[in-house]
Amino acid sequence: MSNFEGNYEQEEKLVSFEEEVESFLINLHDHVYHRNAEAIKKLFDVDFYMISDVYFKNIRWPSIELVDTFYKQKNRYHNLIHSLYEELYYRHVFIINDITLEDRKNAWENYKCLLNFILSICYEQSGEKNDNIFMMPSIWVYDFLSEYVYQYQSMCHLKQNMLKDIESYKEGVEFINQNLELNDSNLVLEVLHSLFVNGEYVNLPEEQRVSFVTNMFHINNENISTKYQFSYFSCCSLLNVYVLMCDYYNALKIISYIEFNHKALYWKVLLCHLNMFYNISFCYMMLRRYNDAIKILTHFLIYLSKQKLNLSNQLRYQQGWVHNLIYKLYLIVMICHSLCNIRLDETILHNIKEKYASKFYALQNANEQTYTELFYKIAPKFIDPISNISFQLLTKLENGENDLKKYNADITARQLDLFLKDVRYQKKVFHFISYAKLYNNIQLNKLSSLMNYNNDNIENVCSDIMCVKNCSRQLVWKEGALYTGEQVTNILGNNFDFYIDIDILNIKTRKQQKLFIDYFLHQIKICKNLSNTLQGTGSTNVYKTKFENYKQKKIKKKQNQKLSIMRYMRKF
């Protein structure tokens, strides 16, 4: 009887799931154990999201403890598989938006374990045998790091919301103060930089890196080491983090390590490809390098317009993100085009007028409200890089309501103010163009009245003119690193220039000067030819020889006609 009860208890404890879920869990162990990269890619890219849509659309996957028990019963339990399933589990929890502070902590601790393991692989220099001890396909590596950054970004936003109403989030404030290392900015940057610096991508010699990069698109996942992939995609993740922190110069500096090539590794991961060009173009826009933003997006958007069918067939669960990023790229092109005079490609212009005509023509008018609406649509969700320090200090203040109000100023609003300042000055350049068509010089008093300034504020007019002149200069990338460039004195094609002399604004229209120069040179040549003909020297000999040659040709033509007639008559 006792044996029967024992067997019954063992059968009762057997863990079982739906057939697709069980096969997914078993294949997760087997494919990772056998390092089958193509099978892992299908498992992550297709099976996980398909099963989630069918069985776990609004609920969680089986608990981590239950899955551990399942693996032990199947003799497949391993710490690495446990951590990989936990990463997928909390990824899905974030997707269905059913996350708690305890979940955030557990997900963060799991990432620490996995990233420490990956860093140990990257630090090893033992040889080829240990290069692929852990195999992950490219799309999983990128999504793994981007999810790590997303969870860090989500935690920063949660802290900002808590600071707005500390009384309503007392338990959450206490929880975060007890776990200050949770999603700390220093730790996130340190991990990503360690993956980037200690991986193969940076440590390879330049010649090998170039040859490897040019052939990367045709290399199978089995032949790409884990060190290389994590080093490569951590560079792309650092670009995203720096943009979120509003550090645009360092963002361009870090991504300069990536070779822009149609056979590069980022072409294998569509979202990585899109996010790279979105972040780079947004950096250029915020650094007032509008020409470079349009230039780098032109070829990319033309390529995307030719790949519509392929994009619609790929990555069903990511189609919403893909179309949203493409929409943002077109908006960046329209904004930059309205702030400079560069000509758009006909294909891109046709797509803009076909899909976004109302926004395109609204930007032609100097309407700040339109720029504000579009900026909120294209801007990322910025974060405070010192959120942990700010949170710890502000929550411990006894009478810190005023400080909290100052801190709670929206970061996106601050970036918008900086952007609109540049927009105002760029739009004033076009006002000066209209005055350049009417005046060669104009008094500042008259200009202030035309520009709706008060007559007493001539100093403000002068300062605005100098600001406009400074804003008209920008860097233009030609070769080398993306953060470098040659300074262009005028974004409007050097058509005009202006300077202040005491109380007069002098406007130089260089295009008109060039026309007058050509006209006067032409008249001087005519005068020289006329004087030479009167004196009988110089160019008259040229005209004489031309006229004599013409006469001789005409005489020969008549002689040939006579000879042909005579020959014809002789036949009869």
Side-chain angles (χ1 to χ4, degrees), residues 238-429:
L238 281 169
L239 168 68
N240 188 20
V241 172
Y242 280 126
V243 171
L244 293 175
M245 292 180 176
C246 310
D247 191 354
Y248 307 115
Y249 179 79
N250 277 328
L252 292 176
K253 197 170 184 179
I254 198 72
I255 202 61
S256 297
Y257 287 94
I258 299 293
E259 294 286 340
F260 283 89
N261 192 310
H262 67 282
K263 296 179 181 179
L265 183 58
Y266 63 82
W267 279 76
K268 286 192 170 187
V269 185
L270 179 61
L271 274 179
C272 177
H273 198 175
L274 285 165
N275 276 308
M276 267 182 58
F277 279 86
Y278 162 72
N279 286 317
I280 293 171
S281 59
F282 187 80
C283 288
Y284 277 142
M285 187 189 76
M286 294 303 294
L287 292 173
R288 289 194 292 108
R289 297 175 63 170
Y290 308 116
N291 289 3
D292 287 338
I294 294 174
K295 185 178 179 181
I296 200 168
L297 289 179
T298 297
H299 298 292
F300 182 58
L301 290 175
I302 291 173
Y303 161 76
L304 289 178
S305 64
K306 295 178 181 177
Q307 299 293 325
K308 284 182 180 179
L309 294 175
N310 294 334
L311 292 176
S312 61
N313 294 329
Q314 290 178 354
L315 304 171
R316 290 183 180 178
Y317 68 95
Q318 292 181 350
Q319 281 186 9
W321 299 339
V322 168
H323 291 302
N324 186 34
L325 281 172
I326 294 172
Y327 173 63
K328 288 182 178 181
L329 294 179
Y330 274 108
L331 291 183
I332 291 174
V333 170
M334 288 189 287
I335 290 172
C336 294
H337 173 68
S338 67
L339 298 174
C340 67
N341 70 331
I342 191 170
R343 186 175 180 181
L344 293 179
D345 185 88
E346 292 297 329
T347 304
I348 295 175
L349 189 61
H350 174 73
N351 291 338
I352 289 172
K353 289 183 177 179
E354 183 180 357
K355 299 177 181 178
Y356 319 109
S358 60
K359 294 180 177 62
F360 178 73
Y361 291 114
L363 283 169
Q364 306 307 314
N365 302 322
N367 188 355
E368 288 188 8
Q369 185 178 358
T370 305
Y371 283 100
T372 302
E373 292 174 359
L374 293 183
F375 184 84
Y376 277 112
K377 289 181 180 179
I378 65 171
K381 295 180 180 178
F382 297 107
I383 58 177
D384 179 14
I386 57 170
S387 59
N388 272 8
I389 301 172
S390 304
F391 189 88
Q392 187 180 7
L393 291 174
L394 292 170
T395 52
K396 291 182 179 181
L397 291 175
E398 295 180 357
N399 296 316
E401 294 183 0
N402 294 328
D403 295 329
L404 283 172
K405 288 179 181 178
K406 291 179 183 178
Y407 174 79
N408 287 332
D410 190 6
I411 301 174
T412 306
R414 275 183 270 166
Q415 294 297 310
L416 174 63
D417 290 339
L418 294 173
F419 173 70
L420 288 179
K421 283 183 181 179
D422 292 330
V423 169
R424 293 185 196 106
Y425 288 126
Q426 295 295 338
K427 288 298 181 181
K428 284 183 181 180
V429 174

Side-chain angles (χ1 to χ4, degrees), residues 151 187 205 258 291 345 466 504 559:
Q151 292 186 16
L187 292 175
I258 299 293
N291 289 3
D345 185 88
M466 291 296 100
I504 296 176
Q559 289 177 355

Side-chain angles (χ1 to χ4, degrees), residues 110-137:
N110 184 58
Y111 269 115
K112 284 173 65 176
C113 294
L114 278 172
L115 289 170
N116 285 332
F117 171 70
I118 294 163
L119 280 170
S120 65
I121 296 174
C122 293
Y123 277 115
E124 286 180 0
Q125 303 294 334
S126 55
E128 296 180 358
K129 293 183 180 179
N130 292 328
D131 280 350
N132 283 345
I133 192 171
F134 175 48
M135 178 62 65
M136 288 178 73

Side-chain angles (χ1 to χ4, degrees), residues 425 428 444-445 447-458 460-461 463-465:
Y425 288 126
K428 284 183 181 180
L444 294 179
N445 290 328
L447 180 64
S448 64
S449 63
L450 292 172
M451 298 284 290
N452 297 323
Y453 285 91
N454 295 326
N455 293 328
D456 299 332
N457 293 333
I458 296 177
N460 292 337
V461 178
S463 63
D464 280 351
I465 290 171

